[in-house]
Amino acid sequence: MEMVETGGAPANVDLGASEKMPQKRGADINYGIDDAPPWYLSIFMALQHYLTMIGAIVSIPFILTPALCMEDEDPSRGIIISTMIFVTGLVTYIQATWGCRLPIVQGGTISFLVPTLAILNLPEWQCPAKDVIAAMSPEDKSELWQIRMRELSGAIAVSALFQVFIGYTGLVGKLLRIITPLTIVPTVSLVGLTLFSHASETASKHWGIAAGTILLMTLFSQAMTNVQVPTLKYRKGHGVEIGWFPLFKLFPVLLTIIIMWSLCAVLTATNIFPEGHPARTDVRLRVLQDASWFRIPYPGQFGVPTVTLAGVLGMLAGVLACTVESISYYPTVSQMCGAPPPPLHAINRGIGTEGLGTVLAGLWGSGNGTNTFGENVGAIGVTKVGSRRVIQWAAMIMILQGVLNKFGAAFIMIPDPVVGGIFCVMFGMIAAFGLSALQYVDLRSARNLYILGLSIFFPLVLCLWLKDHPDFIQTGNKTVDSTLSVLLGTSILVGGCLGCILDNLIPGTPEERGLKAWSNEMALNVENIVNDGTQSTFDFPYGMQLLRSWKWTRFVPFLPTYKMKL
């Protein structure tokens, strides 16, 4: 797995400081997108990205595995985490090297949990009673959750083909004409709002630990971001010096987990938490003991994926939500890392590659798809390091950790109340990210307030009612019943479609709807084609001379030589 770059670290860069000339867009950064820091610095900075994404990755199985009817002590939960980490590294490397070529991390996303839970809420997939599961043989227990994983895997892989299609054919540019801020707000914000019950269920296992987790997260990520800790560093020609490291700014999630996990360990060792208490650190100790040291995830490791219409159409809601969210990140990341605004071919290729990554995630059996990690986008802004090379190193670290099964199993040991506290913060941030798109629209407009209120409130009402009345839809055809139940029970799909339809049908001016401000933010019409044969930021690492020699490549939407505009 070779990492190829066209740029290098400038000769006048001080490796221990940030005195570096501004990049072409005037960003105050230490390393731009095409810069290649020394390998030892690259590995250290890659580790920061890895630790940034690991908190989000490990939270997903805590919701997914109970819905799969998997017991808390099942060591397979560690296998699922390792698979997610492995696929994250694989897809991240492909995206950064051959996809949109922005320094972004592609990994598991909570957006897919909403349709996943809607599918598993169907009568045929609901879990048996706990005593029934406990009485099963180990083989029957494995088959119980694996048959559900195969259903999810098929739904994820097939639904993601839509993302592959709209990306590589260039249709994503056409869809952006109807995907407005009032479509984005309900689609993304409902991801967080819909999962509140899972946050409360997990946090309520010990509200004191959960509240402490929230308090530390707030303290580290908001109040102590400018507090730096002294560290030792070595500079060539200067020797060992004392530097200052923004520990709380970079690792608020990791620090919170370590501190609260340690507190739970002390309370466990002193038996303040009684045996079997969910806040004890030894509740799932057998998971770590039974996990193997080394295991390479492979496609179909839980069996051949199955495909149903209800599952595919339901999971399509997650695909659409991820598409909208990733597109909104591309111009932000470009600005942060000193790159030109992403041209249309890079956006097409990025969405297509993300869809391809989700197909791989489904085939590998991760139970989830892939999406651009907002946490890592924020890490670029904090560290002022936007080098593509760093992300490629981070991808290799993820792939390595993905085959170390004990490592994945260790994260299952995090006490539930700690995870519940993190859920309260993370799900709230996702909802807030969706609501942030309201900055583009006129909130003084009664039209916009009507669309916003209906597209957020009605899906919550409908989906909650359908969850309590799963047998309400009776058309006489089981396939149709299941399909409608999943579609209408997926809040992000109902809210996104409702917001899109109302915003495009109800009369309103472009300024009122926020279309002009949103178009300027996306900068989709900017061309970044180099005609003099020199290398461009968004060019492929190999084969550009050959592509430029063929005239037909100008009409292929995902190639760097594409010259068509919206």
Side-chain angles (χ1 to χ4, degrees), residues 20 22 34 52 89 170 248 363 390 403 428 451 538:
K20 183 176 182 292
D34 291 316
T52 299
F248 303 105
L363 296 179
V390 170
V403 302
I451 296 173
F538 298 100

Side-chain angles (χ1 to χ4, degrees), residues 16 43 67 76 143 246 251 268 280 302 319 378 420 450 456 489 522 529:
I43 292 177
S76 296
E143 180 61 19
F251 305 121
T268 298
R280 287 181 66 96
F302 305 126
V319 171
Y450 179 87
I456 290 182
M522 293 305 298
I529 299 171

Side-chain angles (χ1 to χ4, degrees), residues 181-230:
L182 286 176
T183 303
I184 295 172
V185 171
T187 302
V188 179
S189 61
L190 281 170
V191 172
L193 295 176
T194 305
L195 296 172
F196 73 91
S197 61
H198 298 279
S200 65
E201 179 182 351
T202 311
S204 63
K205 294 183 178 181
H206 195 288
W207 279 112
I209 296 296
T213 302
I214 296 173
L215 178 63
L216 287 183
M217 280 279 288
T218 304
L219 183 66
F220 294 156
S221 66
Q222 304 301 318
M224 299 180 66
T225 54
N226 295 323
V227 177
Q228 298 187 342
V229 298

Side-chain angles (χ1 to χ4, degrees), residues 272-286:
I272 293 179
F273 289 149
E275 289 290 335
H277 193 283
R280 287 181 66 96
T281 55
D282 59 0
V283 173
R284 291 183 286 267
L285 183 60
R286 192 168 65 86

Side-chain angles (χ1 to χ4, degrees), residues 116-128:
T116 293
L117 296 175
I119 292 172
L120 296 178
N121 192 52
L122 292 174
E124 60 266 34
W125 297 121
Q126 291 183 358
C127 297

